[in-house]
Amino acid sequence: YSTCDRLWDAAAVDRLIAYRREHYFMNANIQVHRYDDSNHCRLHVDHPYEYRGIIQQALDAACERGKQ
């Protein structure tokens, strides 16, 4: 998520992350990808390689969880 998003409040995402960390939501390994330079729905354009890597990591992790 980005702090420059004009349509979404990054502080709300920060609060959600803090809440999940505090309550160990489903014992999740919470990874945060926070940017300060992208507008709404622009991370894939402004940071294409990082974005693809993050998506691939999430898909790989979901597949691994599905095998358990």
Side-chain angles (χ1 to χ4, degrees), residues 2-68:
S2 179
T3 60
C4 292
D5 190 328
R6 295 179 189 159
L7 297 177
W8 183 254
D9 180 11
V13 178
D14 292 335
R15 288 190 300 275
L16 174 62
I17 292 165
Y19 176 85
R20 290 181 70 145
R21 283 186 171 151
E22 182 180 335
H23 293 92
Y24 303 104
F25 188 77
M26 295 176 53
N27 297 317
N29 175 15
I30 300 169
Q31 295 184 16
V32 178
H33 303 279
R34 187 175 197 262
Y35 294 86
D36 295 320
D37 63 351
S38 296
N39 200 352
H40 190 70
C41 295
R42 296 272 313 170
L43 288 174
H44 71 291
V45 174
D46 297 336
H47 302 280
Y49 299 108
E50 296 97 329
Y51 186 83
R52 283 187 213 131
I54 291 164
I55 296 299
Q56 189 62 55
Q57 276 183 314
L59 292 173
D60 291 345
C63 288
E64 283 300 312
R65 285 191 306 273
K67 292 177 185 178
Q68 297 174 359

